[in-house]
Amino acid sequence: MSSERHIVLLQRGQPRQVGLAQVILVTGGTLRVQSAGNAWLVPTGRALWLPAGEAQTITAPALSTVALQFAPEVTPELTADLPAQSLALAVSPLLRELVLELARRCPIAEDDHTSRHFAHAAIDCVARAEPLPLSVPLPRDPRAMRLAKLLQADPAMSTDLTTLARQCGASPRTLQRLFLRQTGLPFRQWRQRLRLIHGPGLLSEGASVTEAGLAAGYAGTSAFIAAFGRHFGMTPGEFGRG
């Protein structure tokens, strides 16, 4: 059973309103979200920034999350320095404690100046946080999207594109063209990235590097470590300690 806490700062509406700017801290499990044409997999100890007005779909909730949501009337003031696009973020100890403290103070009144200072500090931490490459772009064409969903459900599957294409109603060449045109990545590279972004979630859930590599579709641990390092700029062990 998942556990979610949502904080609307200076609330004048109901939590979880569609399109609110928010920072989602994952405190257990892996959060899966589709937003702005990307699929995000955000593991424990990391966060996802979603700007105001951006439609999103939570395809698999994490076991535990805390979300700071910003009411429309305070969004420009508190979030002006944050990116206009979604980002997965590294979470500093300070940011984590600020988010959890704000959660403890919820609901927050408009005249609660201490909590307002904490909110400003949390947003400053978000603005300075290191972005993490935990997303993969999604195609728009229904046939290519069908293929993307098949692979999202089982990234480690070894089924070749020719076989998968028959399930998607398009030729392998058509699907390759669609992925390149609509995601900016050749299909093979897109598939590898999808596998790689599953790695951090598996590691955060207690899998060993070897187990995470196998589950992500890599036949050998060294190949997984090398690919992980190229994508994330650190080893799986370093990511797990981050």
Side-chain angles (χ1 to χ4, degrees):
M1 185 175 181
S2 64
S3 171
E4 300 172 288
R5 286 181 287 174
H6 300 270
I7 310 158
V8 177
L9 299 180
L10 308 185
Q11 179 176 338
R12 293 200 182 99
Q14 295 300 315
R16 300 203 67 178
Q17 291 179 350
V18 175
L20 288 183
Q22 58 184 312
V23 179
I24 305 175
L25 171 65
V26 182
T27 54
T30 299
L31 178 69
R32 300 187 182 199
V33 174
Q34 289 189 9
S35 176
N38 290 281
W40 298 89
L41 277 77
V42 186
T44 298
R46 273 66 181 185
L48 181 64
W49 159 250
L50 295 168
E54 186 169 292
Q56 67 261 179
T57 301
I58 296 179
T59 59
L63 293 176
S64 180
T65 60
V66 179
L68 297 184
Q69 298 180 314
F70 301 94
E73 60 270 20
V74 300
T75 293
E77 174 191 353
L78 289 178
T79 65
D81 294 332
L82 294 183
Q85 72 277 4
S86 301
L87 284 177
L89 302 170
V91 175
S92 67
L94 176 58
L95 175 57
R96 176 182 170 82
E97 291 307 313
L98 284 167
V99 170
L100 295 178
E101 177 61 24
L102 286 164
R104 286 189 287 268
R105 290 169 170 266
C106 185
I108 295 169
E110 188 169 359
D111 60 356
D112 184 346
H113 300 297
T114 300
S115 294
R116 191 182 185 94
H117 289 315
F118 285 157
H120 278 282
I123 290 301
D124 187 58
C125 287
V126 170
R128 297 169 184 271
E130 175 191 0
L132 298 172
L134 289 168
S135 70
V136 63
L138 294 173
R140 299 179 301 278
D141 183 273
R143 296 162 297 176
M145 192 60 189
R146 198 173 300 130
L147 176 56
K149 288 182 177 179
L150 284 173
L151 294 174
Q152 285 177 287
D154 183 8
M157 72 162 66
S158 58
T159 309
D160 61 73
L161 178 58
T162 300
T163 302
L164 290 169
R166 286 196 288 269
Q167 301 178 51
C168 300
S171 69
R173 182 172 295 180
T174 295
L175 289 169
Q176 288 175 324
R177 185 174 65 251
L178 287 169
F179 268 83
L180 182 59
R181 180 191 305 158
Q182 297 182 357
T183 73
L185 296 172
F187 173 74
R188 184 174 180 180
Q189 187 176 339
W190 184 94
R191 190 173 191 177
Q192 183 185 42
R193 181 179 295 187
L194 176 68
R195 287 172 167 174
L196 280 172
I197 67 170
H198 275 73
L202 296 166
L203 292 166
S204 73
E205 292 164 14
S208 68
V209 174
T210 298
E211 290 168 338
L214 289 172
Y218 286 83
T221 303
S222 59
F224 173 64
I225 292 173
F228 193 101
R230 287 192 296 270
H231 184 71
F232 291 102
M234 65 185 80
T235 67
E238 289 170 336
F239 193 101
R241 293 190 297 271

